[in-house]
Amino acid sequence: MPSLTAPYIETQQVVTGFMYELHIAEETNGTGITRLDIGPYFFSGAAGSIKYPEAVTNEMTPPGWAAVRWVTDESGSSWLRWEGGRIDTEDGEALFQLTSNYAPSNSGAALYVWRGSRSPEKFAISAPDYSQPPPAVNPRHDVKGQVSYSKGSGCAPPLVLTLGLVAAALRHWLA
């Protein structure tokens, strides 16, 4: 039975959260990779109405592959899924990238690699840790000044000051 070259994920903190870059390739004489799942994750709610913790951002997929998305199976397990394409031996290494607000963890979620309808192969990887509380909405520190300015007193003080200066100039000019 053909096996995969060991997939691995590189993780890097970026301004918008954490970038996850999955490197994977099919080995010689492989039948082709047709779907990738990261999970399982367990969230409250019934299938179809589950509120996922975030909308992950798809950064890159190989040609022919759909963007990463959330799916929930009939057992209630939720997965991050890439599908719709095929990675064959001659394609070499393929890269998949997503950005998540959640930090990586090596426990819990795993990578499941599918080849058509065959049972998937499971690999331990570093994946977003959705068991933790959600992070701050925007952890960037350069927006603090913008927030305090926008919550300030608006344009009324500059307008009053300008009108006062114009009135003083007119009074001096007319006198």
Side-chain angles (χ1 to χ4, degrees), residues 131 135 143 171:
S131 67
V143 298
R171 180 185 293 175

Side-chain angles (χ1 to χ4, degrees), residues 11-153:
T11 306
Q12 177 182 0
Q13 189 165 9
V14 294
V15 172
T16 55
F18 295 88
M19 173 78 70
Y20 295 85
E21 183 173 89
L22 170 63
H23 299 252
I24 192 167
E26 179 71 293
E27 285 194 348
T28 306
N29 300 322
T31 58
I33 300 167
T34 57
R35 186 172 101 192
L36 300 169
D37 290 340
I38 297 175
Y41 294 105
F42 301 96
F43 306 118
S44 61
S49 64
I50 293 175
K51 182 177 169 112
Y52 298 116
E54 70 171 348
V56 293
T57 303
N58 190 76
E59 301 291 345
M60 181 171 52
T61 56
W65 285 78
V68 69
R69 64 185 175 96
W70 282 108
V71 296
T72 300
D73 62 22
E74 61 280 348
S75 71
S77 301
S78 295
W79 305 83
L80 289 170
R81 178 173 290 166
W82 283 291
E83 63 185 339
R86 183 179 191 86
I87 301 171
D88 290 313
T89 304
E90 55 273 2
D91 295 330
E93 184 176 78
L95 299 177
F96 295 82
Q97 287 182 337
L98 67 88
T99 303
S100 171
N101 288 316
Y102 286 76
S105 171
N106 289 326
S107 61
L111 173 67
Y112 291 79
V113 179
W114 293 80
R115 291 186 182 94
S117 60
R118 289 181 26 199
S119 294
E121 291 186 58
K122 179 181 176 182
F123 297 90
I125 59 164
S126 179
D129 185 2
Y130 293 111
S131 67
Q132 299 299 313
V137 174
N138 190 343
R140 294 176 51 184
H141 23 244
D142 64 339
V143 298
K144 288 181 182 170
Q146 296 171 8
V147 170
S148 62
Y149 176 76
S150 67
K151 288 185 177 181
S153 52

